[in-house]
Amino acid sequence: MGRALAASRPQPAVVHLHGDLGAGKSSLARALLRALGVQGPVRSPTYTLVERYPVPGGEAWHLDLYRIADAGELDFLGLDGDEATLWLVEWPERGQGALPAPDLEVHLAVAGAGRRARLEARSAAGQAWLSALDLNGRLQGVPAG
């Protein structure tokens, strides 16, 4: 799924990743970043809150907001939305009001030995992204609405 998202991503793009602990949010972000050509360690931003990676066309930011108590804490990270061409945000509900609106929301859940994913377009760019995905019928996409 990470490869499919990387191959068709718009620029800029904002992705909100939802799911319980262990649902696969960091794994999906890592796979997407790898598919965009990121080499070397792809660290989980659990403790740093944000990790930045050079990607074609700019910079990707991977945020994990699980540990913040208030969206105002994001002010201290010095995030300038114009610098990133890709936002991957885990636990976005904790940064509500301080984050850019998502183009795509990905809802992940454990399903037996695998994972279940539901994608929701939240913008025209997100809708075009969903339309361009080649997912072989394995994921459920929900149009913007």
Side-chain angles (χ1 to χ4, degrees):
M1 186 168 103
R3 282 191 301 273
L5 288 168
S8 57
R9 81 174 168 107
Q11 287 189 41
V14 178
V15 180
H16 287 182
L17 301 166
H18 301 275
D20 292 335
L21 289 172
K25 298 178 298 294
S26 291
S27 294
L28 175 58
R30 187 173 291 113
L32 199 159
L33 291 166
R34 288 275 184 234
L36 289 173
V38 173
Q39 297 183 13
V42 177
R43 296 177 183 90
S44 171
T46 300
Y47 295 102
T48 58
L49 300 183
V50 63
E51 292 287 339
R52 299 172 183 217
Y53 300 95
V55 295
E59 191 172 63
W61 293 356
H62 181 195
L63 288 80
D64 184 334
L65 306 183
Y66 182 76
R67 296 180 62 232
I68 70 166
D70 181 86
E73 293 180 42
L74 294 178
D75 293 340
F76 298 106
L77 296 178
L79 302 176
D80 178 358
D82 294 335
E83 292 179 21
T85 58
L86 176 62
W87 292 67
L88 301 169
V89 185
E90 298 182 39
W91 304 98
E93 60 278 3
R94 296 182 183 222
Q96 193 169 356
L99 294 170
D103 295 300
L104 195 63
E105 289 192 356
V106 179
H107 300 268
L108 298 168
V110 175
R115 302 289 185 272
R116 183 178 66 240
R118 180 172 48 90
L119 291 89
E120 294 183 64
R122 294 294 182 194
S123 70
Q127 181 61 50
W129 197 357
L130 271 184
S131 296
L133 285 175
D134 178 14
L135 300 173
N136 299 320
R138 290 181 291 180
L139 300 171
Q140 177 185 3
V142 179

